[in-house]
Amino acid sequence: MSDNAHIVIVGAGHAGGTAAALLRQYRHAGDITLIGAEPLAPYQRPPLSKAWLKGEADGDGLRLKAPEWYAENHVDLRLSQTVEFIDRTRRTVRLSDGDTLAYDRLILATGARARLLNIEGADLNGVTALRTAADAEALKAALDPDHGHVKRLVVIGGGYVGLEVAASARALGAEVAIVERENRILARVACPVLSRFFQSFHRERGVRFILDATVERLIGEEGRVAGAQLDDGSILDCDAVLIGIGAAPNDELAQAAGLDCQDGVVVDRAARTSDPAIFAIGDVTRRPMPLSDTFMRLESVPNALEQARQAVAAITGRPAPEPEIPWFWSDQYDLKLQIAGVPVGCDDMVVRGDPGMPGFALFHMAGDLIQAVEAVNAPGEFMVGRQLIGRRTPVSRERLADRATSMKTVAL
């Protein structure tokens, strides 16, 4: 491909913004067009549920690049725009403003959207998900105490985003109730030991949990949410509701273009789709996993960055980057949870430290190999565990379980 090829990036989130920056870093000389649905240039999303809500960060601090970077590096940044159609035969995209752009290579970084809750009252003011800076700003305003009134937040869904928002809301002095349909929080993303720890930690800080329950409808007063009615008929009074029941990939554009999609755009290890001229990166993709033949959709910043590197390396003819072990983090209160690997094919779990207090790690094992590690305020266990996963290094379970034994000596 010519060094002067036009690269069009659809989606100006963390993945798309990083891809544009890497193209210039790797000395791609051709035109780059970066198209974003939001009115903001690419920014970091993880702080939205934490520092932004608590008023400790603003738009300036979250930017991936300074505003002038795009013009200085000849990146045509088109904000408040979406792509409505991809013509793969002509290699063009049609924008929401009616403009048509030709591309030599196309990168889809359209991300994911919050899953909707199809119940009465879901459209009331004060009901929001948390995917964008606008969502975070609306939630912050709803939780801002006024005239001594303590705000009350109902979180629907006990996943990581819900827990992070709950911690931030408690820091702001709000009352928080989390409603989860499963019998434990984090049921789909963490083991029971981790669920019990986080539930206990939050409960000790005033968060109320209602498990095995669903919200049947939301009750409004003068157009604003004022209560959440549960399936048992009880009502939780509230000033705001956060819907945190997961996300769905924004793969409709790819589907309409005839690309292979399976709950996300299917890509290979170079982030290439079923069309060799089109790549996809970030939350929208279903990608092959390192160390296995499985495909997964990962929603994390590290995944977005890795796939941006994969796509840009392939486009610019650079060597493919080394595969990375998937990892993820969550900050709640003074806790930092760090997870590496995927716990598939496991036959046991090794606990290192006391899982009732911060400073422990859980190792999911397949024989004498670590498949995944979940570490709470245990950065050493996380870092070494991630390395051992990637190197497929056999370990001694006995030494791994002994907190007095250095992680550097657990390998067999």
Side-chain angles (χ1 to χ4, degrees):
M1 189 185 66
S2 167
D3 288 342
N4 292 317
H6 182 198
I7 312 298
V8 173
I9 304 171
V10 184
H14 216 130
T18 299
L22 286 173
L23 282 165
R24 288 300 185 230
Q25 181 181 327
Y26 292 175
R27 305 191 186 284
H28 176 71
D31 291 339
I32 301 172
T33 302
L34 179 58
I35 304 163
E38 293 183 64
L40 303 176
Y43 61 89
Q44 303 175 60
R45 297 184 190 275
L48 295 179
S49 60
K50 300 175 278 287
W52 186 295
L53 276 187
K54 293 184 289 185
E56 299 169 356
D58 57 19
D60 292 341
L62 300 190
R63 290 175 180 145
L64 295 188
K65 294 290 185 183
E68 60 272 15
W69 181 90
Y70 299 93
E72 291 173 354
N73 287 273
H74 307 289
V75 173
D76 181 10
L77 180 60
R78 303 196 182 195
L79 300 176
S80 300
Q81 291 286 324
T82 59
V83 170
E84 296 186 337
F85 181 73
I86 300 171
D87 187 330
R88 290 169 52 194
T89 302
R90 292 183 173 85
R91 291 194 179 180
T92 61
V93 294
R94 186 178 71 238
L95 275 61
S96 52
D97 66 356
D99 197 6
T100 297
L101 297 175
Y103 67 84
D104 295 293
R105 292 293 184 268
L106 181 66
I107 300 177
L108 300 179
T110 47
R113 64 188 179 279
R115 294 191 185 277
L116 301 178
L117 196 59
N118 187 24
I119 60 173
E120 178 186 343
D123 58 348
L124 289 167
N125 290 331
V127 180
T128 186
L130 186 55
R131 297 294 299 183
T132 68
D135 294 336
E137 192 61 22
L139 185 57
K140 182 169 70 172
L143 294 177
D144 185 33
D146 54 359
H147 308 297
H149 173 58
V150 176
K151 294 301 180 73
R152 299 157 299 180
L153 171 68
V154 169
V155 177
I156 304 176
Y160 286 119
V161 171
L163 293 178
E164 290 171 357
V165 170
S168 297
R170 290 298 297 138
L172 293 171
E175 296 178 357
V176 181
I178 296 179
V179 181
E180 168 57 53
R181 69 178 183 179
E182 304 292 340
N183 61 9
R184 64 182 177 94
I185 61 171
L186 303 174
R188 292 169 295 278
V189 293
C191 69
V193 173
L194 204 61
S195 294
R196 286 193 296 270
F197 170 78
F198 275 101
Q199 184 171 323
S200 175
F201 201 90
H202 277 268
R203 184 179 284 127
E204 290 171 358
R205 283 147 187 81
V207 176
R208 179 185 176 191
F209 291 92
I210 302 101
L211 306 178
D212 289 312
T214 58
V215 175
E216 293 288 298
R217 70 185 183 106
L218 298 175
I219 302 165
E221 292 181 1
E222 299 181 352
R224 184 165 190 88
V225 70
Q229 181 176 320
L230 306 184
D231 51 357
D232 65 358
S234 62
I235 295 175
L236 301 174
D237 294 330
C238 60
D239 301 286
V241 171
L242 173 74
I243 299 175
I245 56 174
N250 293 323
D251 60 357
E252 293 81 3
L253 184 64
Q255 289 187 45
L259 299 176
D260 185 8
C261 296
Q262 300 172 31
D263 183 38
V265 185
V266 178
V267 297
D268 63 15
R269 297 185 188 278
R272 188 181 284 106
T273 71
S274 52
D275 183 329
I278 302 178
F279 295 77
I281 59 178
D283 292 0
V284 74
T285 67
R286 179 164 292 275
R287 54 162 291 178
M289 300 302 296
L291 311 178
S292 73
D293 296 326
T294 61
F295 280 70
M296 291 184 67
R297 192 166 64 82
L298 301 176
E299 297 175 17
S300 71
V301 169
N303 175 67
L305 301 181
E306 181 187 16
Q307 288 194 297
R309 288 191 291 268
Q310 290 172 345
V312 172
I315 289 171
T316 58
R318 295 172 66 94
E322 287 293 319
E324 294 184 0
I325 299 302
W327 66 282
F328 168 84
W329 82 91
S330 176
D331 294 321
Q332 302 168 40
Y333 307 105
D334 56 352
L335 301 176
K336 178 174 284 293
L337 167 66
Q338 295 170 294
I339 299 173
V342 179
V344 295
C346 299
D347 54 44
D348 197 7
M349 183 177 72
V350 173
V351 179
R352 183 179 172 93
D354 180 358
M357 57 188 301
F360 68 92
L362 309 173
F363 294 90
H364 299 269
M365 308 295 297
D368 56 8
L369 296 177
I370 302 172
Q371 296 291 91
V373 56
E374 298 166 315
V376 178
N377 288 12
E381 279 75 5
F382 166 75
M383 289 187 291
V384 177
R386 183 180 172 198
Q387 293 170 356
L388 294 171
I389 294 169
R391 295 170 184 167
R392 310 311 291 148
T393 303
V395 300
S396 162
R397 294 191 182 198
E398 182 178 353
R399 291 200 293 267
L400 190 62
D402 183 5
R403 192 73 194 276
T405 300
S406 169
M407 282 293 296
K408 297 179 180 179
T409 65
V410 301
L412 290 174

